[in-house]
Amino acid sequence: LALKRMSVRKDYRGLGIATALGRTALAFARQRGCRAVVLNTLMLQHEARALYERLGFRRHRHYVLPTTYGRLANCTITTYRYDLSGSP
């Protein structure tokens, strides 16, 4: 399962909403027999990266955005993966 976008409005952050959304996405994927959940995030999204790591996602791949701008700005993307195999 690829998690494409997850966002909580700034004035509602810090209330556990993103954690609940992340856990719900993992449960959804698990119930449907997915082997893993993957997502991409930019290097600048520190809070999002911390959330994914707290939820148990592991850094899977790290690369520079393959565009002219990406190479010039050194825009780095991190792919995270949460393996569901063997989990309850």
Side-chain angles (χ1 to χ4, degrees):
L1 180 96
L3 183 58
K4 296 299 275 182
R5 297 215 191 323
M6 187 168 77
S7 180
V8 175
R9 205 166 91 177
K10 285 185 181 185
D11 47 336
Y12 288 96
R13 292 181 187 169
L15 301 174
I17 296 169
T19 298
L21 285 170
R23 287 181 181 154
T24 300
L26 293 172
F28 175 88
R30 190 176 285 115
Q31 290 168 356
R32 279 150 185 81
C34 297
R35 294 183 309 222
V37 177
V38 295
L39 59 91
N40 293 323
T41 189
L42 294 171
M43 63 183 174
L44 300 175
Q45 295 174 311
H46 303 290
E47 294 89 356
R49 291 172 50 200
L51 168 69
Y52 300 137
E53 290 176 16
R54 279 194 313 275
L55 287 170
F57 282 82
R58 300 289 174 239
R59 291 181 193 183
H60 183 68
R61 191 172 155 221
H62 192 74
Y63 61 96
V64 173
L65 191 64
T67 63
T68 301
Y69 173 77
R71 288 187 297 276
L72 289 172
N74 195 31
C75 186
T76 306
I77 305 290
T78 302
T79 299
Y80 282 89
R81 180 181 177 98
Y82 187 105
D83 286 308
L84 293 165
S85 59
S87 58

